[in-house]
Amino acid sequence: AKAYCNTPVVPWLHRHVTQSAVVLFITHRLFDGVIAEALCDADDDKVCTGVTNAGDMFWALLVMVFALSFAAYGVINSNFVTARLFGLLAVDAKKEEDAHDQARRGSQDV
């Protein structure tokens, strides 16, 4: 159990899942209100004339917010500068291995 509990089994998948969840958490509130307004299509009296069924609104919001948030994750992660601004780490296995080796060498110097 120690081999599976102390380290991720698939490091690149673990990194994508955790980092995309952070971006989803940050961006979902931005998209939620805008999409709800667009789907509701309220008129001047603030009466919803678009999607009026709560179940339909829930599923439409869920799918669209997930899609837009993961698209935002892809855009953010596509550029080194924006990835660093959001605190995202490189997902490339070679870069990860180099960073791990560098950290190990740094701890041996102390």
Side-chain angles (χ1 to χ4, degrees):
K2 183 179 179 182
Y4 293 105
C5 294
N6 288 346
T7 58
V9 177
V10 184
W12 68 266
L13 180 63
H14 178 264
R15 183 153 300 160
H16 268 306
V17 169
T18 55
Q19 291 183 156
S20 63
V22 168
V23 173
L24 174 68
F25 178 74
I26 292 170
T27 60
H28 83 279
R29 296 295 288 171
L30 298 170
F31 299 130
D32 204 16
V34 174
I35 295 170
E37 281 287 326
L39 290 176
C40 189
D41 193 30
D43 56 10
D44 294 336
D45 299 331
K46 301 290 185 194
V47 176
C48 185
T49 58
V51 178
T52 55
N53 183 350
D56 293 342
M57 180 66 86
F58 170 78
W59 287 110
L61 278 173
L62 184 75
V63 170
M64 294 174 82
V65 166
F66 266 77
L68 286 173
S69 294
F70 288 126
Y73 170 70
V75 169
I76 291 167
N77 207 19
S78 68
N79 184 335
F80 175 80
V81 175
T82 56
R84 291 294 180 246
L85 285 173
F86 276 80
L88 303 181
L89 302 173
V91 180
D92 186 10
K94 178 66 175 152
K95 289 180 185 177
E96 182 177 335
E97 184 179 315
D98 291 343
H100 180 59
D101 289 342
Q102 184 179 10
R104 189 174 32 188
R105 275 185 260 128
S107 65
Q108 291 173 352
D109 293 339
V110 175

